[in-house]
Short mmCIF file of all heavy atoms in Angstrom, two decimals:
data_model
loop_
_atom_site.label_atom_id
_atom_site.label_comp_id
_atom_site.label_asym_id
_atom_site.label_seq_id
_atom_site.Cartn_x
_atom_site.Cartn_y
_atom_site.Cartn_z
N LYS A 184 -33.33 -9.21 -19.69
CA LYS A 184 -34.57 -9.99 -19.98
C LYS A 184 -35.04 -10.63 -18.67
O LYS A 184 -36.26 -10.76 -18.51
CB LYS A 184 -34.25 -11.04 -21.03
CG LYS A 184 -34.07 -10.44 -22.43
CD LYS A 184 -34.04 -11.56 -23.54
CE LYS A 184 -32.82 -12.50 -23.40
NZ LYS A 184 -32.76 -13.42 -24.50
N SER A 185 -34.16 -11.13 -17.89
CA SER A 185 -34.57 -11.80 -16.62
C SER A 185 -35.22 -10.81 -15.69
O SER A 185 -36.25 -11.20 -15.03
CB SER A 185 -33.41 -12.52 -15.94
OG SER A 185 -32.44 -11.51 -15.49
N MET A 186 -34.77 -9.61 -15.63
CA MET A 186 -35.37 -8.56 -14.81
C MET A 186 -36.81 -8.23 -15.27
O MET A 186 -37.72 -8.11 -14.50
CB MET A 186 -34.49 -7.31 -14.81
CG MET A 186 -34.97 -6.26 -13.74
SD MET A 186 -34.71 -6.80 -12.05
CE MET A 186 -36.44 -6.96 -11.45
N ALA A 187 -36.95 -8.16 -16.61
CA ALA A 187 -38.29 -7.91 -17.17
C ALA A 187 -39.26 -9.03 -16.82
O ALA A 187 -40.41 -8.79 -16.44
CB ALA A 187 -38.20 -7.70 -18.69
N LEU A 188 -38.75 -10.29 -16.90
CA LEU A 188 -39.55 -11.44 -16.55
C LEU A 188 -39.92 -11.42 -15.09
O LEU A 188 -41.05 -11.74 -14.70
CB LEU A 188 -38.83 -12.76 -16.97
CG LEU A 188 -39.55 -14.05 -16.60
CD1 LEU A 188 -40.89 -14.11 -17.42
CD2 LEU A 188 -38.65 -15.24 -17.01
N MET A 189 -38.95 -11.08 -14.24
CA MET A 189 -39.22 -11.11 -12.84
C MET A 189 -40.21 -9.99 -12.42
O MET A 189 -41.02 -10.28 -11.56
CB MET A 189 -37.85 -10.90 -12.05
CG MET A 189 -36.98 -12.08 -12.09
SD MET A 189 -35.23 -11.72 -11.63
CE MET A 189 -35.50 -10.98 -10.07
N GLU A 190 -40.13 -8.88 -13.12
CA GLU A 190 -41.16 -7.84 -12.78
C GLU A 190 -42.58 -8.30 -13.17
O GLU A 190 -43.51 -8.07 -12.46
CB GLU A 190 -40.84 -6.55 -13.55
CG GLU A 190 -41.68 -5.39 -13.16
CD GLU A 190 -41.20 -4.06 -13.64
OE1 GLU A 190 -39.96 -3.81 -13.56
OE2 GLU A 190 -41.99 -3.25 -14.12
N SER A 191 -42.66 -9.03 -14.33
CA SER A 191 -43.97 -9.53 -14.62
C SER A 191 -44.45 -10.67 -13.66
O SER A 191 -45.59 -10.66 -13.26
CB SER A 191 -43.90 -10.21 -16.07
OG SER A 191 -43.63 -9.20 -17.07
N THR A 192 -43.45 -11.44 -13.19
CA THR A 192 -43.79 -12.50 -12.26
C THR A 192 -44.24 -11.86 -10.91
O THR A 192 -45.21 -12.32 -10.31
CB THR A 192 -42.56 -13.34 -11.92
OG1 THR A 192 -42.11 -13.99 -13.17
CG2 THR A 192 -42.88 -14.40 -10.90
N ASP A 193 -43.63 -10.78 -10.51
CA ASP A 193 -43.98 -10.06 -9.27
C ASP A 193 -45.42 -9.51 -9.45
O ASP A 193 -46.22 -9.56 -8.51
CB ASP A 193 -43.06 -8.96 -9.02
CG ASP A 193 -43.37 -8.20 -7.76
OD1 ASP A 193 -43.25 -8.75 -6.62
OD2 ASP A 193 -43.91 -7.03 -7.83
N ASP A 194 -45.76 -9.03 -10.60
CA ASP A 194 -47.18 -8.56 -10.87
C ASP A 194 -48.13 -9.67 -10.66
O ASP A 194 -49.23 -9.44 -10.03
CB ASP A 194 -47.30 -7.95 -12.29
CG ASP A 194 -46.53 -6.65 -12.45
OD1 ASP A 194 -46.26 -6.00 -11.41
OD2 ASP A 194 -46.30 -6.29 -13.59
N TYR A 195 -47.79 -10.87 -11.20
CA TYR A 195 -48.72 -12.02 -11.02
C TYR A 195 -48.81 -12.39 -9.52
O TYR A 195 -49.93 -12.70 -9.05
CB TYR A 195 -48.23 -13.18 -11.85
CG TYR A 195 -48.40 -13.05 -13.36
CD1 TYR A 195 -47.37 -13.20 -14.19
CD2 TYR A 195 -49.70 -12.78 -13.85
CE1 TYR A 195 -47.49 -13.05 -15.59
CE2 TYR A 195 -49.84 -12.61 -15.23
CZ TYR A 195 -48.77 -12.76 -16.06
OH TYR A 195 -48.91 -12.63 -17.41
N PHE A 196 -47.69 -12.39 -8.82
CA PHE A 196 -47.72 -12.68 -7.41
C PHE A 196 -48.68 -11.74 -6.66
O PHE A 196 -49.50 -12.20 -5.79
CB PHE A 196 -46.30 -12.60 -6.81
CG PHE A 196 -45.44 -13.74 -7.11
CD1 PHE A 196 -44.10 -13.71 -6.76
CD2 PHE A 196 -45.94 -14.90 -7.73
CE1 PHE A 196 -43.26 -14.79 -7.01
CE2 PHE A 196 -45.11 -15.93 -8.07
CZ PHE A 196 -43.75 -15.92 -7.70
N LEU A 197 -48.61 -10.44 -6.97
CA LEU A 197 -49.40 -9.43 -6.29
C LEU A 197 -50.88 -9.68 -6.55
O LEU A 197 -51.71 -9.54 -5.69
CB LEU A 197 -49.01 -8.07 -6.70
CG LEU A 197 -47.64 -7.62 -6.30
CD1 LEU A 197 -47.36 -6.16 -6.73
CD2 LEU A 197 -47.50 -7.60 -4.69
N GLU A 198 -51.17 -10.05 -7.81
CA GLU A 198 -52.57 -10.32 -8.15
C GLU A 198 -53.05 -11.59 -7.41
O GLU A 198 -54.22 -11.58 -6.97
CB GLU A 198 -52.69 -10.58 -9.64
CG GLU A 198 -54.09 -10.91 -10.17
CD GLU A 198 -55.09 -9.82 -9.91
OE1 GLU A 198 -54.71 -8.68 -9.55
OE2 GLU A 198 -56.32 -10.07 -10.06
N ILE A 199 -52.23 -12.60 -7.26
CA ILE A 199 -52.63 -13.76 -6.51
C ILE A 199 -52.95 -13.40 -5.02
O ILE A 199 -53.97 -13.79 -4.51
CB ILE A 199 -51.48 -14.84 -6.49
CG1 ILE A 199 -51.36 -15.48 -7.86
CG2 ILE A 199 -51.74 -15.91 -5.44
CD1 ILE A 199 -50.10 -16.32 -8.07
N TYR A 200 -52.09 -12.56 -4.45
CA TYR A 200 -52.38 -12.21 -3.01
C TYR A 200 -53.58 -11.30 -2.95
O TYR A 200 -54.31 -11.35 -1.98
CB TYR A 200 -51.07 -11.50 -2.51
CG TYR A 200 -50.12 -12.45 -1.91
CD1 TYR A 200 -49.07 -12.94 -2.71
CD2 TYR A 200 -50.26 -12.96 -0.67
CE1 TYR A 200 -48.13 -13.84 -2.22
CE2 TYR A 200 -49.29 -13.86 -0.10
CZ TYR A 200 -48.32 -14.31 -0.95
OH TYR A 200 -47.35 -15.23 -0.53
N ARG A 201 -53.82 -10.51 -4.04
CA ARG A 201 -55.00 -9.61 -3.95
C ARG A 201 -56.28 -10.54 -4.05
O ARG A 201 -57.24 -10.31 -3.31
CB ARG A 201 -55.03 -8.69 -5.17
CG ARG A 201 -56.24 -7.70 -5.21
CD ARG A 201 -56.34 -6.96 -6.51
NE ARG A 201 -56.78 -7.87 -7.49
CZ ARG A 201 -58.10 -8.30 -7.70
NH1 ARG A 201 -58.99 -7.81 -6.84
NH2 ARG A 201 -58.45 -9.08 -8.62
N LEU A 202 -56.24 -11.57 -4.87
CA LEU A 202 -57.40 -12.45 -4.92
C LEU A 202 -57.60 -13.23 -3.65
O LEU A 202 -58.68 -13.49 -3.18
CB LEU A 202 -57.18 -13.42 -6.14
CG LEU A 202 -57.19 -12.82 -7.52
CD1 LEU A 202 -56.82 -13.84 -8.57
CD2 LEU A 202 -58.60 -12.17 -7.84
N MET A 203 -56.43 -13.63 -3.02
CA MET A 203 -56.53 -14.37 -1.75
C MET A 203 -57.05 -13.51 -0.63
O MET A 203 -57.78 -14.02 0.26
CB MET A 203 -55.10 -14.87 -1.33
CG MET A 203 -54.60 -16.02 -2.28
SD MET A 203 -52.87 -16.35 -1.90
CE MET A 203 -52.79 -16.76 -0.20
N ALA A 204 -56.88 -12.18 -0.74
CA ALA A 204 -57.33 -11.28 0.27
C ALA A 204 -58.85 -10.92 0.06
O ALA A 204 -59.45 -10.33 0.96
CB ALA A 204 -56.54 -10.03 0.36
N ASP A 205 -59.39 -11.31 -1.07
CA ASP A 205 -60.79 -11.00 -1.44
C ASP A 205 -61.72 -11.94 -0.65
O ASP A 205 -61.84 -13.13 -1.08
CB ASP A 205 -60.96 -11.10 -2.95
CG ASP A 205 -62.38 -10.69 -3.35
OD1 ASP A 205 -63.19 -10.36 -2.44
OD2 ASP A 205 -62.67 -10.68 -4.56
N GLN A 206 -62.28 -11.49 0.44
CA GLN A 206 -63.10 -12.35 1.30
C GLN A 206 -64.42 -12.80 0.62
O GLN A 206 -65.18 -13.61 1.15
CB GLN A 206 -63.34 -11.68 2.60
CG GLN A 206 -62.07 -11.47 3.43
CD GLN A 206 -61.35 -12.75 3.71
OE1 GLN A 206 -61.89 -13.70 4.30
NE2 GLN A 206 -60.05 -12.77 3.31
N SER A 207 -64.71 -12.18 -0.55
CA SER A 207 -65.99 -12.50 -1.21
C SER A 207 -65.81 -13.69 -2.13
O SER A 207 -66.86 -14.23 -2.62
CB SER A 207 -66.55 -11.24 -1.98
OG SER A 207 -65.62 -10.99 -3.08
N ARG A 208 -64.61 -14.11 -2.37
CA ARG A 208 -64.40 -15.27 -3.24
C ARG A 208 -64.95 -16.57 -2.61
O ARG A 208 -65.00 -16.63 -1.41
CB ARG A 208 -62.90 -15.42 -3.64
CG ARG A 208 -62.43 -14.23 -4.42
CD ARG A 208 -61.02 -14.40 -4.88
NE ARG A 208 -60.86 -15.46 -5.88
CZ ARG A 208 -61.09 -15.34 -7.15
NH1 ARG A 208 -61.53 -14.15 -7.59
NH2 ARG A 208 -60.92 -16.36 -8.01
N LYS A 209 -65.25 -17.49 -3.41
CA LYS A 209 -66.07 -18.68 -3.06
C LYS A 209 -65.54 -19.32 -1.77
O LYS A 209 -66.25 -19.49 -0.77
CB LYS A 209 -66.11 -19.70 -4.21
CG LYS A 209 -66.79 -20.97 -3.83
CD LYS A 209 -66.82 -21.92 -4.99
CE LYS A 209 -67.43 -23.28 -4.66
NZ LYS A 209 -67.41 -24.25 -5.82
N TYR A 210 -64.26 -19.78 -1.80
CA TYR A 210 -63.80 -20.58 -0.62
C TYR A 210 -63.55 -19.78 0.58
O TYR A 210 -63.86 -20.23 1.68
CB TYR A 210 -62.46 -21.26 -1.05
CG TYR A 210 -62.63 -22.11 -2.31
CD1 TYR A 210 -62.05 -21.81 -3.54
CD2 TYR A 210 -63.44 -23.32 -2.26
CE1 TYR A 210 -62.20 -22.57 -4.71
CE2 TYR A 210 -63.65 -24.03 -3.39
CZ TYR A 210 -63.00 -23.72 -4.64
OH TYR A 210 -63.18 -24.48 -5.73
N ALA A 211 -63.08 -18.51 0.43
CA ALA A 211 -62.87 -17.67 1.60
C ALA A 211 -64.23 -17.35 2.23
O ALA A 211 -64.40 -17.36 3.48
CB ALA A 211 -62.16 -16.37 1.18
#
Side-chain angles (χ1 to χ4, degrees):
K184 289 193 293 185
S185 67
M186 189 67 245
L188 179 61
M189 287 164 57
E190 187 168 316
S191 297
T192 302
D193 181 70
D194 288 342
Y195 287 126
F196 283 174
L197 292 180
E198 178 63 11
I199 289 169
Y200 276 93
R201 186 192 70 78
L202 293 173
M203 288 169 60
D205 183 358
Q206 297 300 306
S207 67
R208 294 183 69 80
K209 176 182 176 181
Y210 302 113

